Amino acid sequence: MQQKTKFTRFTERSGYAGSAWLLMVVLLIIAGVRAPYLFTGSGIGGFIVNTTPLILVAMAMTVTALVGSNVDLSAGALMIFVNVSLVKFLFDQSIGAPWIVVLLAIGIGVAVQVIQVVIMTVVRIEPIIVTLAAFLALSGLNLVILSRPQGRAPNWLGAWGAGRDIFGPMTLLVIVVIVAWFLFTRTGLFTRIKLVGANERTAFVSGVPVFRTRLVAHVISGVLIGLAGLAYTGFIASGNPTQSATYTLAAVTALVLGGTSLAGGAGGMLGTVPGAIAVSLISFTLSTFPLGLLASFVTQFAYGLILVLALTLGVLVRGIVVRKKRSAVA
């Protein structure tokens, strides 16, 4: 009976991630049938390299969604902004020292996120408007900094994108970030982030420093986006200003598929990470079919369909949970 109680508590706490895990498993099976080389050492290594930037951007979106800042539409454009800034202002000037590159990448991500959270909380502009404006501004700025894909990453960063085996730098980066997030969820600060996201007024009345909590959440998001920009630069070993919309759409799909509430206060990385892997698997699996010029259209259609299905499933699941709770009380 005690085991059943623990299982029930786990499912209540983590059930939001079920759709992402289910889709990921199904797509892995299909990918295994269509392209068995995916499950070789180099195949897994290459897939991890390809997916790491998306995982990190989706995780960054999750943090801001949890604190009640809705979906961060600027995340993909900010990741690309980190990428083109590194290429233009460091690599083109023959500056490639690892500590400088890492600090600049994280610094850019944090600075832009801090600016956004100040506008949201001090100026009182809706988060969705702030992040949309940031997406548009950054997308244009990216094309000003680099008008086309160009540049070259230093050798140590380019080696990140080799993907020759499973246990490469990208794998280590993802593991470190996930472990750090797991430890963070055990802190009181994480609890305050979810409280602010669930009900800002109640959190304020309860003595939670709302602005400081939002600020910390956006700083964490900025760090993750900075690391995503670093990973993306290693993946392509150059700069590419054209992928803002692609990564934004993919990350939003992963976020929603992972079950994180866009209203704030509910969800987490347990759904986001498999959601990002599933989204990446969609592109990979579709690439094994002879779609030709329709490949891009079919991929976008698949993302949109999954978004609708994930949102619908989320509404149905929440309805079932509410009915169960009411019947239990009665």
Side-chain angles (χ1 to χ4, degrees):
M1 187 67 180
Q2 185 65 23
Q3 290 295 326
K4 184 178 179 181
T5 302
K6 289 182 179 180
F7 178 75
T8 302
R9 290 176 179 175
F10 175 78
T11 54
E12 288 179 351
R13 186 171 62 251
S14 309
Y16 67 89
S19 299
W21 283 94
L22 177 60
L23 181 61
M24 183 183 73
V25 171
V26 170
L27 288 171
L28 281 172
I29 294 172
I30 297 174
V33 173
R34 296 288 306 174
Y37 63 85
L38 174 64
F39 295 97
T40 63
S42 59
I44 296 174
F47 182 79
I48 291 173
V49 167
N50 179 73
T51 310
T52 296
L54 177 58
I55 290 176
L56 295 174
V57 171
M59 290 180 73
M61 280 189 177
T62 303
V63 182
T64 51
L66 285 174
V67 82
S69 295
N70 301 125
V71 57
D72 184 0
L73 297 176
S74 71
L78 179 52
M79 183 194 79
I80 301 301
F81 180 62
V82 172
N83 166 246
V84 298
S85 295
L86 291 177
V87 171
K88 182 68 174 181
F89 303 117
L90 289 186
F91 306 155
D92 283 359
Q93 311 304 320
S94 299
I95 302 173
W99 69 272
I100 297 178
V101 175
V102 174
L103 283 180
L104 180 62
I106 293 176
I108 292 173
V110 170
V112 174
Q113 284 291 346
V114 168
I115 291 172
Q116 289 189 94
V117 75
V118 168
I119 295 174
M120 293 174 192
T121 55
V122 177
V123 185
R124 292 290 179 181
I125 299 178
E126 287 295 323
I128 192 70
I129 297 176
V130 174
T131 59
L132 176 59
F135 169 81
L136 296 173
L138 289 171
S139 296
L141 189 57
N142 292 338
L143 290 169
V144 171
I145 295 174
L146 289 183
S147 58
R148 56 185 173 81
Q150 64 186 75
R152 182 176 179 180
N155 292 335
W156 66 268
L157 187 55
W160 284 30
R164 298 188 183 93
D165 52 50
I166 301 174
F167 301 104
M170 293 283 199
T171 306
L172 179 61
L173 176 61
V174 172
I175 291 174
V176 169
V177 169
I178 291 175
V179 170
W181 176 260
F182 174 78
L183 295 176
F184 177 68
T185 60
R186 275 22 188 191
T187 66
L189 180 55
F190 176 73
T191 302
R192 291 196 291 273
I193 286 176
K194 296 191 74 172
L195 285 173
V196 171
N199 193 313
E200 181 178 327
R201 186 180 297 276
T202 301
F204 177 77
V205 173
S206 301
V208 175
V210 173
F211 174 73
R212 194 185 312 164
T213 302
R214 283 189 179 277
L215 180 62
V216 170
H218 279 261
V219 167
I220 294 172
S221 177
V223 171
L224 290 170
I225 293 175
L227 293 175
L230 198 65
Y232 179 71
T233 305
F235 169 45
I236 64 174
S238 61
N240 188 346
T242 65
Q243 296 299 304
S244 298
T246 300
Y247 272 91
T248 297
L249 176 60
V252 171
T253 305
L255 178 72
V256 175
L257 177 61
T260 296
S261 172
L262 302 184
M269 304 304 180
L270 187 63
T272 296
V273 174
I277 295 173
V279 169
S280 190
L281 280 169
I282 292 171
S283 298
F284 176 83
T285 304
L286 289 175
S287 70
T288 65
F289 292 91
L291 298 174
L293 297 176
L294 294 176
S296 177
F297 167 77
V298 174
T299 301
Q300 302 302 321
F301 175 77
Y303 288 166
L305 182 62
I306 287 173
L307 273 173
V308 173
L309 292 177
L311 287 169
T312 303
L313 182 61
V315 171
L316 293 175
V317 170
R318 282 192 292 272
I320 293 172
V321 171
V322 170
R323 285 195 294 271
K324 283 186 176 182
K325 287 183 178 180
R326 287 177 178 173
S327 61
V329 172

